[in-house]
Amino acid sequence: MRLTLLALLLSTACALPAATPDVTAQPKGQEKPTEKAKPNRLAKESSPYLLQHAHNPVDWYPWGPEAFERAKTEKKLIFLSIGYSACHWCHVMERESFSRADVAKVLNANFVCIKVDREERPDVDDIYMTALNTTGEQGGWPLNMFLTPDGKPIFGATYFPPDDRKIGDDTVPGFKTVLNKVMEFDKDRADLEKQADRVAKATVEALDANSRAIALVPLKRDLVSDGLDAFGIDPEHGGTGSKKRDYKGTKFPRPPVWGFVLTQTKKPGNERLAKLAHNTLAKMLEGGIYDHLGGGFHRYSTERTWTVPHFEKMLYDNAQLVELYSEAYALAPRPEYKRVVAETLEFVRREMTASEKGFYSALDADSNDKEGEFYVWTADEVAKVLGTDADTALVKAVYGVTAPNFEDKFHILRLPKPLAEVAKELKLTEDALLTKLEPLKKKLFDHRAKRERPFLDTKVITAWNGQMIAGYARAGGVFKEPAYVRAAADAADFLLTKLRDKDGRLYRMYAAAPRGKPAPKGVAFLDDYAYLIHGLLNLHDATGEPKWLDAAKGLTDLVVKHYADPVNGGFYFTAADGEKLFARAKDSYDGVQPSGNSQMARNLLRLGDKTKDDGYRDRGIRTVKAFSFALRTAPTSMPLMLRTLDELLDAAGEPGKPAPKEEPKAKKPRKSEDVVTGKLTLEPAKGGVREFAVALTVEAPWHLYANPAGADTLAESRTEVTVYVGGKKVDAKIEYPKGKEIADKVVGTYAIYEGATTIKGRFPAGEGEIEVRVSINACKDGVCLPPSTLKLK
């Protein structure tokens, strides 16, 4: 009961807006000189993120045995906070809470406090993010969790405001209130430890979920086609999202999705899919998520149209997008694809490349204490920099400097229409327009360069460098550009020379502590091997040089030796001889980056093809099989694995031909309406009101989500009835029956309709045809058909 109340308190706290931070970092990893408190333990670390907290009054520990030993000895709970150097909300919480003496006093007296850079320890981040999700909380950074002294998660959330805030009639608890509540609950440590055991068990089950039921799901073509159908592509602005929500909300580029979709556009009958895919690529490069002056992509868009980004620039995004646009150009040689690759690689060369030829990790979203300030403009500032009315008018027209699109006063440069279209309106060729724009862009770029620059995280991360090598090599092959291939080869030589130990095993990163020299650091994770192998294979494609294939084979053999699951197939995220956490993850989610397992499956099949070694190919097939259950039940979570399966089936013959149906007589349902029938019964008007009943019949074993569905995460999938009279929606009173309750360890309790269900209602009588629409989403065994709307008359 008390824990439930605290969970509610935490969930309320994590969605608040906040002020911008006052800690601004300088280029090349140097901190802005400020009046600093006494340094804490983090001052000796090499992580820029940890160093950003090195002068907090909080008695921070880095992750390690010293912190856990103290927690056990003093019988204190652990406060764990995870983030990364380019994270805007991490900066906000650092400024608002961790820099305050009153907050630090409470933390230091009652908790052992650990700060983690998720880019250094993705294993720690993944485990505790999964734990947070199993409690029903939505994850994000900073990730703040309370742990038992042995590291088991109790509960947590993301950003906390420092003090209680009044939002309407509600009071949202601040961080100090949360700490006091936790201290109160800690009077019953046994209760907290039981809670931690439950969350730890649920976390282990969640981490194992996608590799269950391997033998029950054969590797057939319908896994690919069904998976492709499951992606909801925004037909207007591109990207994926919820059609029910009109595709509103944040949009991430998510290159693994579009890499998979592009491969499917080559197949007969997918002409519409090709239009949707290329529309997405066009909208991203035209939007504010792309830096039109300096090149490179920001991390994601905060809204549907790709206009307003979160302004971080991450190496892994730009690496993958270079590879994606290069692949897109190979399929459809559009000049804007070539241009965006060239501009992005120039940005990487100019701002993200180390003297030793490796690549830096990230540029911050903030500068001068304000999010995005480095990148945004006022109309007056544009005019002042350009000088002439004609030049100003041209830039304003091309880049949409009309009405402010950021914080009601600033402009994020974007292309409201394609350059080819603008050129046509100006009676110019596209090349002529670009030539005319070039000196004007340079004026703006040079002016922008004088502003307070965002913080540059100079960690060289093996995994992300592998992706950048892959991007450079692929671009070099597609565009026949030796300089791109040379940059990939230089970075590969650097990693293979500097980031391997005497046994050939990889380190995670190359970084320097304050006043120290850069050095290799940290045990590598599956992603480090998987992404670097991918880069080496792309380099071999581009050059044909045996040394890159040999290096890829050597690293793959180490992955098999230290990371493979010999029983169920696939690979663990951490090495068998690595640090033991309370759970060992086997990642499978292809988010903004592919999972190590998806990447390794594809690597193994490519290696098998290049070397003619069936051992690699067979292990690749086994890896795909290990996640076949996830491909069936949650295909949108594994687009790179879908692409790998598709390539596997193509290599086996009959490319693109559907697999034979196991039940040829049964028509396979494609939409929810294929398994649900509805019948409308209308009563005569009485007293200006008409009553109705909708009888729904759901084919077994499918079900619909009830209204209400119970679990918040299912709100968009619930059954919903609307009434139209004469083509206009009317205010109807709907009586939904209570659904059958289902208990789930992860989702919680939710309600469904199955078999026969009747929904009743009434509405004002009127003139015109009556139509009752029923929004439905049919699901079974964790897989859902695309939603439908039954239109009953």
Side-chain angles (χ1 to χ4, degrees):
M1 304 59 62
R2 299 190 312 173
L3 291 172
T4 303
L5 287 172
L6 181 61
L8 179 62
L9 177 146
L10 294 176
S11 64
T12 311
C14 64
L16 283 177
T20 50
D22 62 4
V23 175
T24 304
Q26 299 297 306
K28 305 300 179 188
Q30 300 302 311
E31 294 179 318
K32 180 181 179 182
T34 58
E35 186 177 337
K36 296 178 179 178
K38 181 181 177 182
N40 56 45
R41 292 175 186 81
L42 303 185
K44 296 179 181 179
E45 296 295 310
S46 60
S47 158
Y49 176 65
L50 298 189
L51 290 171
Q52 287 167 359
H53 295 76
H55 294 273
N56 293 160
V58 177
D59 187 16
W60 290 116
Y61 284 80
W63 180 274
E66 184 183 2
F68 287 95
E69 285 301 321
R70 182 184 165 194
K72 290 172 185 175
T73 300
E74 299 182 11
K75 298 180 180 179
K76 288 182 176 178
L77 295 181
I78 291 168
F79 171 68
L80 172 67
S81 185
I82 303 174
Y84 59 101
S85 69
C87 166
H88 170 69
W89 290 103
C90 301
H91 299 332
V92 172
M93 196 162 178
E94 190 277 335
R95 170 198 172 220
E96 290 183 337
S97 292
F98 301 144
S99 294
R100 283 176 51 166
D102 56 339
V103 174
K105 184 176 180 180
V106 176
L107 282 169
N108 296 341
N110 299 281
F111 302 90
V112 173
C113 301
I114 299 177
K115 178 59 74 173
V116 169
D117 183 339
R118 69 178 294 262
E119 295 169 358
E120 285 193 344
R121 293 301 302 262
D123 56 331
V124 174
D125 178 63
D126 184 44
I127 294 269
Y128 289 105
M129 185 65 76
T130 303
L132 181 71
N133 292 337
T134 65
T135 67
E137 294 295 325
Q138 184 174 354
W141 295 279
L143 169 59
N144 296 301
M145 294 211 71
F146 296 92
L147 317 179
T148 61
D150 60 355
K152 289 183 179 177
I154 304 169
F155 36 69
T158 177
Y159 164 76
F160 294 110
D163 300 297
D164 296 354
R165 291 184 183 174
K166 194 80 173 173
I167 305 292
D169 295 330
D170 298 324
T171 298
V172 179
F175 187 42
K176 289 192 293 183
T177 298
V178 171
L179 292 176
N180 287 325
K181 282 288 185 184
V182 174
M183 289 153 51
E184 180 184 333
F185 298 154
D186 192 27
K187 293 174 183 176
D188 187 354
R189 177 64 64 83
D191 197 13
L192 289 183
E193 288 177 345
K194 288 178 183 177
Q195 165 78 356
D197 287 340
R198 288 193 293 271
V199 176
K201 183 180 179 183
T203 302
V204 171
E205 291 174 350
L207 291 169
D208 290 343
N210 281 342
S211 56
R212 295 176 189 159
I214 298 166
L216 300 180
V217 184
L219 300 181
K220 293 191 175 182
R221 183 70 64 180
D222 63 344
L223 285 176
V224 178
S225 58
D226 289 353
L228 183 63
D229 290 343
F231 288 97
I233 301 177
D234 182 343
E236 183 178 356
H237 296 287
T240 58
S242 168
K243 184 178 180 181
K244 276 192 171 184
R245 299 182 63 243
D246 293 325
Y247 304 100
K248 293 176 182 176
T250 57
K251 280 184 178 175
F252 287 80
R254 214 176 160 200
V257 171
W258 302 105
F260 166 59
V261 172
L262 278 179
T263 63
Q264 301 308 296
T265 64
K266 299 181 292 185
K267 302 195 173 182
N270 281 343
E271 290 77 13
R272 181 175 179 274
L273 181 67
K275 289 181 179 179
L276 291 171
H278 289 291
N279 181 58
T280 292
L281 297 183
K283 293 300 184 184
M284 288 197 301
L285 68 86
E286 290 165 5
I289 193 174
Y290 183 67
D291 181 356
H292 293 274
L293 295 182
F297 288 85
H298 299 294
R299 186 161 169 253
Y300 66 91
S301 175
T302 62
E303 41 68 59
R304 180 186 179 188
T305 69
W306 306 101
T307 298
V308 182
H310 225 321
F311 289 93
E312 301 102 322
K313 281 185 175 180
M314 311 301 294
L315 180 68
Y316 58 74
D317 286 321
N318 287 283
Q320 292 178 96
L321 288 166
V322 163
E323 185 172 10
L324 177 67
Y325 278 99
S326 298
E327 291 183 343
Y329 185 88
L331 292 173
R334 300 183 179 188
E336 61 267 33
Y337 293 172
K338 184 176 183 179
R339 186 179 74 249
V340 81
V341 168
E343 291 176 352
T344 299
L345 288 178
E346 173 57 21
F347 153 70
V348 171
R349 185 203 64 77
R350 183 182 68 243
E351 299 188 39
M352 303 292 285
T353 304
S355 59
E356 295 181 86
K357 304 303 182 183
F359 305 107
Y360 297 139
S361 298
L363 276 168
D364 208 330
D366 299 349
S367 55
N368 201 29
D369 304 347
K370 297 180 179 66
E371 183 184 12
E373 185 188 70
F374 184 74
Y375 300 99
V376 300
W377 299 83
T378 64
D380 289 344
E381 189 180 14
V382 170
K384 184 177 179 181
V385 172
L386 295 177
T388 71
D389 291 344
D391 289 346
T392 300
L394 177 63
V395 166
K396 286 184 174 181
V398 171
Y399 294 109
V401 184
T402 51
N405 55 20
F406 184 64
E407 295 182 349
D408 299 324
K409 56 183 176 179
F410 296 112
H411 297 267
I412 299 168
L413 302 187
R414 62 185 299 271
L415 296 175
K417 56 181 74 173
L419 279 177
E421 201 173 310
V422 177
K424 189 175 180 181
E425 292 173 358
L426 296 173
K427 296 182 173 55
L428 296 169
T429 65
E430 188 173 347
D431 285 343
L433 176 59
L434 284 168
T435 300
K436 201 168 184 178
L437 285 171
E438 203 56 40
L440 308 182
K441 289 172 62 178
K442 188 175 188 308
K443 281 186 178 181
L444 294 171
F445 176 83
D446 290 345
H447 179 81
R448 189 180 80 173
K450 298 172 185 176
R451 297 173 178 172
E452 181 91 5
R453 296 184 65 82
F455 176 80
L456 174 65
D457 186 334
T458 56
K459 290 197 309 292
V460 174
I461 297 176
T462 300
W464 303 2
N465 273 248
Q467 291 180 308
M468 195 68 249
I469 290 166
Y472 258 122
R474 185 71 169 126
V478 169
F479 299 109
K480 311 301 181 190
E481 178 50 71
Y484 295 167
V485 179
R486 189 163 54 250
D490 287 345
D493 279 330
F494 166 72
L495 292 179
L496 294 173
T497 302
K498 294 284 190 177
L499 277 98
R500 288 198 292 183
D501 66 14
K502 59 182 177 59
D503 298 317
R505 295 175 71 174
L506 293 173
Y507 291 99
R508 170 65 177 175
M509 75 197 83
Y510 189 73
R515 293 175 295 281
K517 293 182 178 180
K521 178 182 176 183
V523 176
F525 302 100
L526 177 63
D527 286 1
D528 295 298
Y529 286 91
Y531 299 167
L532 179 53
I533 293 166
H534 172 55
L536 294 169
L537 293 175
N538 277 16
L539 251 179
H540 183 255
D541 287 344
T543 64
E545 294 181 21
K547 72 173 185 176
W548 305 124
L549 184 60
D550 292 342
K553 285 169 56 181
L555 293 177
T556 299
D557 293 342
L558 288 171
V559 173
V560 171
K561 180 178 179 180
H562 296 290
Y563 296 82
D565 179 349
V567 178
N568 296 313
F571 300 92
Y572 291 106
F573 191 71
T574 55
D577 57 355
E579 181 183 353
K580 301 296 186 290
L581 304 177
F582 75 87
R584 192 180 181 200
K586 191 191 287 186
D587 69 322
S588 61
Y589 179 61
D590 300 335
V592 293
Q593 294 177 278
S595 69
N597 275 288
S598 293
Q599 190 67 73
M600 277 308 302
R602 188 161 185 255
N603 290 346
L604 286 160
L605 293 178
R606 291 176 72 189
L607 262 179
D609 181 59
K610 285 175 177 287
T611 64
K612 309 305 177 188
D613 185 335
D614 287 342
Y616 290 127
R617 182 178 180 277
D618 291 346
R619 190 173 286 277
I621 294 171
R622 192 173 179 218
T623 303
V624 178
K625 284 183 176 178
F627 296 94
S628 59
F629 181 70
L631 292 178
R632 171 61 71 201
T633 59
T636 58
S637 72
M638 299 194 76
L640 181 59
M641 193 68 86
L642 286 171
R643 178 179 180 174
T644 303
L645 172 59
D646 184 57
E647 292 170 349
L648 171 63
L649 295 171
D650 283 354
E654 300 183 307
K657 182 179 178 181
K661 301 290 189 295
E662 293 184 9
E663 298 178 13
K665 293 181 181 179
K667 183 181 178 182
K668 185 175 180 180
R670 306 295 292 178
K671 297 181 180 179
S672 293
E673 62 195 43
D674 295 336
V675 296
V676 182
T677 57
K679 182 179 179 182
L680 173 64
T681 302
L682 279 170
E683 299 296 332
K686 186 176 180 181
V689 174
R690 295 198 71 171
E691 296 186 348
F692 71 91
V694 171
L696 297 177
T697 303
V698 187
E699 290 182 18
W702 299 92
H703 66 260
L704 305 177
Y705 291 108
N707 191 339
D712 290 342
T713 54
L714 300 175
E716 289 187 5
S717 301
R718 67 189 180 189
T719 303
E720 202 153 8
V721 173
T722 51
V723 179
Y724 290 77
V725 178
K728 295 182 178 179
K729 184 178 177 181
V730 298
D731 186 17
K733 304 295 182 184
I734 312 299
E735 299 174 8
Y736 294 98
K738 184 178 180 181
K740 175 183 175 182
E741 287 196 348
I742 304 293
D744 186 277
K745 291 180 180 178
V746 176
V747 177
T749 301
Y750 61 94
I752 63 170
Y753 299 143
E754 57 185 3
T757 299
T758 300
I759 301 172
K760 297 181 179 180
R762 59 188 183 277
F763 59 92
E767 296 296 325
E769 184 180 46
I770 296 167
E771 181 179 84
V772 176
R773 300 180 187 178
V774 188
S775 299
I776 56 173
N777 200 178
C779 303
K780 68 170 183 178
D781 301 327
V783 63
C784 296
L785 295 171
S788 300
T789 299
L790 303 179
K791 297 181 179 180
L792 308 176
K793 297 178 181 179

